[in-house]
Amino acid sequence: MSRYSALGLLRGALNGQKHWQPAWRDPEPKSHYDIIVIGGGGHGLATAYYLAKVHGLRNIAVLEKGWIGGGNTGRNTTIVRSNYRQPALHNLFEFGLKMWEHLSDELNYNVMFSPRGSLTLGHSDADMTMLAQRGDAMRCSGIDAELLTRDQVAKMEPLLDMSREARFPIQGALLQGRGGTARHDAVAWGYARGADSLGVDIIQKCEVTGFVWDGKAVVGVETTRGRIGAGRIGICVAGHSGHVAGLAGLKLPIESQTLQAMVTEGVKPMIKSVIQTQSLHCYISQSDKGGIVFGGDPDNWPSYAQRGNPMIMEGAIAQGLALVPSLSRLRMVRTWSGVTDMSFDGSPIIGETPVQNLFLNGGWCYGGFKATPASGWTYAYTLANGKPHKLNAPFALDRFEKGATIDETGTGPMPNSR
Ligand code: FAD
């Protein structure tokens, strides 16, 4: 009987899970890999999975300095959507959203994708104009977007304060019904198990501390577990992008900032969708366990500290309570934070670097979880072929020197961007 069947699970629970096997191996590093991916977050693991699954490569390693999924992948507020105005952004994120819709089947691992709707509230005429423009742009690319009236919003989320005297009066909203949430840890674990089963070595507690050079090309990495050679190397370290690229002498247009989130005690279902706003610095959703998850802005200064500060927390909670006053009696049970890599136009960087054999995937700001499958798919293509995928071509590092930035205050800075 399979250990994944209901009876197998019950038997495992009763006998102390005696015969359960680890879901992935714990290999020693080899001396050389065709491709090394630095960073065992969702993006790095997805990249390794698609390198093996789609491109047929087998001699691949993911090097992770801590434990897989212990970075931003395990710290985010799990929002998944593709409601961006600019085509380069919505095409990439929509490619990802379509992958989310089948990801549990693809990985044979329940990532608990929950398309409960992503609702962006408008509080002024200007907000509503911007939401209408964004919705029109999305629909032109075949992506679902619906502009809701005030009454429709009130019907969908009855606990919102819809009074005219509200601190932040609500005029309407843009709904992407296919947006929602997914279980973040499961995404890392599902990709890890899938990659491992295709022969990828996932090496934890292995920090990259430098690069090995042959002339102007990198041909390996120095790590806390020794030197490892590589044909190509992909950086995929989120909040540490600037630091790791710096080891190869690159200075990135990225600053690392702390972003925090909070969750209340669990309650019965009361918030249906993921509520964001066009103007405020807070967003709210209800987790599958019932806790109300609050997110806000990042700290306003660069930092590698994985803890937030009360000022940002207070602001996000005050705004959340103004939107949904009945949350005021709930107890906040946990806060946490992660280090995000904020690019200067708020959009990611995926592709080649000026260093031969070295590639970069970073700058996801605080919006990269939703991109995990698309990021992995397109970065795998780039690492396998040494050239951009058509969806990541606009996100090249050299766009900053060419003046081709993709600035929507979009995946990055400012409200409505998680
Ligand atoms: P990570 O999961 O951070 O993986 C990078 C890994 O690299 C880490 O495990 C780290 O240990 C490792 N590493 C670093 N340096 C080295 C080294 N030298 N050697 C080896 N390994 C190294 N995005 C959304 O789309 N929706 C949201 O709702 C959302 N909410 C967020 C809320 C918070 C509080 C935070 C912090 C982020 C949020 N994000 C959200 C952003 C999202 O979490 C990230 O963009 C995304 O998870 C990045 O994935 P990753 O795999 O690149 O990074």
Side-chain angles (χ1 to χ4, degrees), residues 16-65:
Q17 302 162 1
K18 250 187 236 148
H19 305 296
W20 285 20
Q21 299 298 316
W24 49 85
R25 295 164 298 127
D26 184 19
E28 284 301 314
K30 293 188 213 159
S31 59
H32 187 277
Y33 290 93
D34 295 337
I35 298 184
I36 284 180
V37 178
I38 309 174
H43 288 219
L45 294 163
T47 302
Y49 174 77
Y50 293 118
L51 275 168
K53 175 88 191 283
V54 179
H55 301 282
L57 299 169
R58 289 294 182 269
N59 190 25
I60 303 164
V62 176
L63 307 184
E64 165 54 49
K65 75 172 178 181

Side-chain angles (χ1 to χ4, degrees), residues 191-403:
Y191 275 121
R193 193 180 70 171
D196 175 86
S197 72
L198 294 168
V200 172
D201 281 356
I202 298 169
I203 302 168
Q204 303 182 76
K205 296 189 196 144
C206 182
E207 179 173 359
V208 170
T209 54
F211 289 93
V212 183
W213 296 83
D214 180 3
K216 293 191 170 164
V218 291
V219 292
V221 289
E222 303 286 2
T223 79
T224 45
R225 294 176 67 172
R227 176 176 289 194
I228 310 174
R232 288 188 176 136
I233 301 169
I235 299 175
C236 210
V237 296
H240 293 84
S241 300
H243 171 70
V244 174
L247 298 174
L250 296 174
K251 193 163 165 50
L252 300 182
I254 281 180
E255 273 185 359
S256 292
Q257 279 174 284
T258 301
L259 178 68
Q260 62 187 319
M262 301 138 261
V263 67
T264 70
E265 61 190 326
V267 285
K268 288 191 175 166
M270 57 187 294
I271 303 223
K272 199 172 145 204
S273 60
V274 176
I275 301 176
Q276 298 158 280
T277 103
Q278 182 70 18
S279 295
L280 307 184
H281 303 260
C282 109
Y283 59 101
I284 310 167
S285 65
Q286 187 161 20
S287 78
D288 290 337
K289 285 195 287 189
I292 307 295
V293 180
F294 283 72
D297 258 359
D299 287 359
N300 296 327
W301 50 88
S303 166
Y304 285 112
Q306 281 201 133
R307 59 171 188 275
N309 76 71
M311 184 183 79
I312 299 277
M313 227 183 284
E314 192 182 349
I317 293 170
Q319 292 177 7
L321 296 189
L323 291 174
V324 186
S326 51
L327 298 179
S328 66
R329 304 301 291 273
L330 295 186
R331 281 172 294 193
M332 199 59 84
V333 292
R334 201 157 58 84
T335 77
W336 66 92
S337 72
V339 185
T340 53
D341 46 348
M342 310 297 287
S343 67
F344 274 69
D345 61 357
S347 291
I349 301 168
I350 322 172
E352 296 159 283
T353 73
V355 175
Q356 201 182 325
N357 300 338
L358 186 63
F359 297 79
L360 172 69
N361 179 325
W364 290 95
C365 303
Y366 35 62
F369 174 67
K370 64 180 79 65
T372 306
S375 164
W377 180 281
T378 60
Y379 197 37
Y381 178 95
T382 298
L383 281 169
N385 297 294
K387 62 179 188 188
H389 184 278
K390 66 176 187 241
L391 286 172
N392 67 26
F395 299 100
L397 177 59
D398 67 5
R399 74 176 182 269
F400 294 93
E401 61 193 68
K402 290 182 173 161

